[in-house]
Amino acid sequence: MSPRLDANDGAEPYGVAAEHIRLLTKVARMYHERGVRQPQIAELLHISQPRVSRLLKQAVAAGIVRTVVITPRGVHADLEDAVEQRYGLSEVVVADSAGQTDEIAVTRSIAAAAAVYLETTLSRNDRVGISSWSATLLATVDAMHSAAGLATERVVQILGGVGTSAAQGQATRLTGGLARHTRAEAVYLVAPGLVATSEMRQALVREPSIAAVLDAWQDLTVALVGVGSLEPSTLLRQSGNAIAEQEEQRLRELGAIGDVCMRFFDERGQHIASELDDRVLGISAETLKKVPRRIGVAGGERKWRSIRAALLGGWLNVLITDQTTAAELLRD
């Protein structure tokens, strides 16, 4: 804050009696410019501390003290506000990706921003659900730092984390890494994200260890997810949990454009129900949308249409993305 007293020839400038302006200005300058604390101001001016507090508020109301926020380079506050308002989101974080076109570089920028966001917003009572096969989420967890004040209650896999031996460690590292950074209990879903038949899924969910994980989905306070395009990511393909080409074609015919936790949706974000849903061992669309804070960490040219659909459909209420994707989300 910086105090300001404009010239004014009226009898009562700023809507305040002329004799009162001098005191307002003096108190404001002492507090905001000289850094004098309120008890010291009260002692020096021989007035009470509550009156000092009232005078400071009056100085703001009268326009003598005006707040000016200067946005630092690399912070995209206007862009964040615009995306929040367009899609009714509670928060948007835009990573600075100016000039970056390489998908790996963009992913790193998003992951760095997401890591800071999680480090500063997760709380001790949070129960976090995390998807299993997202390279951006994996980069986010790898970019995080453990801190004394960073803690959560539990980190739970919300999509089956068992896959091929080449990719298995990635899903485990994702959940375990976040749990380690937040000193939380790690709860693993020891099953594939996609099984061969609905009967196999029904048999698995009856297993006590798996049923306990599904129960833990009911009281999550945070969901941390990626957003997929219809074409599976490299990590998902490597995991052995990707849909087959004929299934991808069938979903395309139904209008699918993307997914969250292998629950597919169309360009308006409406869930596309199909036989695939009965084979996915992951959180349902209905359960996911009941989680109070649903954080999507995604970006890049390949995904912006899927991200837009996910926002329109209410799959997310917090988005962490890159500068170019945020600008695309605002195009008519």
Side-chain angles (χ1 to χ4, degrees):
M1 283 187 169
S2 58
R4 175 180 172 183
L5 181 60
D6 294 333
N8 191 311
D9 294 331
E12 293 191 358
Y14 308 102
V16 178
E19 63 272 16
H20 197 50
I21 289 178
R22 188 200 66 79
L23 182 57
L24 286 179
T25 306
K26 186 175 186 66
V27 169
R29 288 176 65 88
M30 291 175 73
Y31 185 76
H32 293 291
E33 290 189 346
R34 293 166 49 194
V36 183
R37 299 173 66 85
Q38 291 188 33
Q40 293 174 282
I41 295 173
E43 183 178 353
L44 290 169
L45 299 184
H46 305 288
I47 57 179
S48 68
Q49 186 174 336
R51 189 180 181 196
V52 171
S53 180
R54 289 195 300 271
L55 289 168
L56 289 170
K57 291 177 182 178
Q58 289 172 15
V60 173
I64 293 170
V65 173
R66 301 183 185 183
T67 302
V68 178
V69 178
I70 300 173
T71 303
R73 185 177 180 179
V75 176
H76 305 284
D78 290 344
L79 194 53
E80 292 172 350
D81 290 345
V83 176
E84 286 172 7
Q85 292 171 16
R86 170 71 69 89
Y87 295 96
L89 305 178
S90 59
E91 190 161 10
V92 171
V93 177
V94 174
D96 186 41
S97 59
Q100 294 178 346
T101 56
D102 178 71
E103 186 171 337
I104 294 176
V106 171
T107 295
R108 286 174 179 163
S109 296
I110 296 169
V116 173
Y117 174 82
L118 294 173
E119 289 167 1
T120 55
T121 66
L122 289 178
S123 68
R124 188 173 301 277
N125 295 324
D126 274 328
R127 296 173 296 279
V128 184
I130 188 167
S131 189
S132 295
W133 305 108
S134 167
T136 311
L137 289 183
L138 187 58
T140 296
V141 171
D142 286 346
M144 289 181 67
H145 297 88
S146 301
L150 180 59
T152 60
E153 182 178 324
R154 186 185 306 145
V155 175
V156 187
Q157 282 183 326
I158 55 176
L159 180 64
V162 170
T164 63
S165 57
Q168 176 66 60
Q170 308 281 44
T172 302
R173 191 168 106 227
L174 182 53
T175 302
L178 183 59
R180 185 175 64 257
H181 285 309
T182 61
R183 298 192 294 282
E185 173 193 7
V187 180
Y188 298 97
L189 180 55
V190 188
L194 181 65
V195 296
T197 66
S198 60
E199 290 78 14
M200 185 179 295
R201 181 188 183 280
Q202 289 303 315
L204 285 169
V205 299
R206 286 194 291 269
E207 289 290 328
S209 60
I210 292 178
V213 181
L214 272 59
D215 286 342
W217 295 345
Q218 303 304 315
D219 67 348
L220 296 175
T221 60
V222 177
L224 185 60
V225 300
V227 178
S229 58
L230 187 56
E231 181 182 350
S233 67
T234 301
L235 179 57
L236 186 58
R237 284 195 186 282
Q238 291 175 346
S239 75
N241 287 279
I243 59 175
E245 288 185 12
Q246 60 267 31
E247 292 170 324
E248 183 181 326
Q249 181 57 36
R250 175 57 179 156
L251 286 166
R252 185 173 281 107
E253 291 170 356
L254 292 171
I257 191 173
D259 79 285
V260 171
C261 293
M262 299 192 75
R263 304 300 180 181
F264 289 86
F265 46 77
D266 63 20
E267 64 180 358
R268 300 299 301 172
Q270 298 302 304
H271 177 222
I272 294 178
S274 72
E275 63 171 8
L276 191 69
D277 283 325
D278 296 328
R279 295 168 45 212
V280 173
L281 232 172
I283 195 168
S284 69
E286 295 77 11
T287 303
L288 175 63
K289 291 183 180 182
K290 291 177 182 176
V291 178
R293 184 156 56 126
R294 303 179 300 281
I295 306 167
V297 183
E301 183 179 357
R302 187 170 58 88
K303 289 188 176 181
W304 81 264
R305 291 177 180 82
S306 301
I307 295 169
R308 178 179 181 274
L311 299 181
L312 290 172
W315 296 79
L316 314 172
N317 54 18
V318 175
L319 175 65
I320 304 172
T321 192
D322 63 279
Q323 185 179 351
T324 303
T325 299
E328 288 288 349
L329 291 171
L330 296 173
R331 286 203 315 173
D332 293 328

